[in-house]
Amino acid sequence: MIIALDGPAASGKGTLARQLAEHFGLRHLDTGLTYRAVAAALLARGLPLGDEAVAISVAQNLDLGNLDRNQLSAHEIGEAASRIAVLSGLREELVRLQRTFAEQEPGAVLDGRDIGTVVCPDATAKLFITASPAARAKRRTDELNGKGIPADFNEILVDLERRDERDSTRKDSPLKPAENAHLLDTTEMDIDSAFRAAVDIIERAR
Ligand code: C5P
């Protein structure tokens, strides 16, 4: 069983993916972390983000078991991840790792931007999670403030919209719903109702 969750930044797909993995007894991979880990390694070494060969060699040494969102959550890392995510050779390498993860028993929940379209086109269930830009910016602002990190709603909104625009308009694997994806708009939903709606969709698709 493979569950594909795609959607824009801060749509809530990460939280949902974790909960669904636990509910269905599956492993979970947040594929955004694979792009973030490569970006963070390049930033830490002061290497250019456009050098595809270097990015690929970093990707080849990634340990999927050792990706920690807390260490990779910085705003600059998300921005750099979205910039390197346009490199097709890098995507190929990361997609290979992600597929290998997805195909191991007993199956997995993967969340990202291109899971239903590229990484796992034959997934058991595909969900495309959206929410209005304002709702997503508010959630991200509250999340950061909750951790004691000062965050400005308007700045976050502008950043999210810029990243969504880059992710949706890139040539290779743009952010878009797969043809047979179920759309779930969580603008008016809390985490519990989003979770229940997702479980319903998946139960029907099984
Ligand atoms: O989901 P997250 O915000 O951590 O992802 C960071 C960036 O990685 C995204 O903005 C996107 O450019 C890229 N990404 C991608 N494909 C995925 C997951 C993330 O291109 N499957």
Side-chain angles (χ1 to χ4, degrees), residues 9 15 19 31 66 104-105 182:
T15 306
Q19 293 181 336
T31 62
N66 205 11
Q104 284 160 33
E105 293 298 330
H182 299 266

Side-chain angles (χ1 to χ4, degrees), residues 31-32 35-36 69 81-82 85 91 112-114 163 167 170:
T31 62
Y35 291 87
R36 284 175 181 264
R69 182 153 283 271
S82 157
R91 298 199 70 86
R113 304 291 188 291
D114 60 342
R163 192 139 70 87
D167 289 344
R170 70 178 174 225

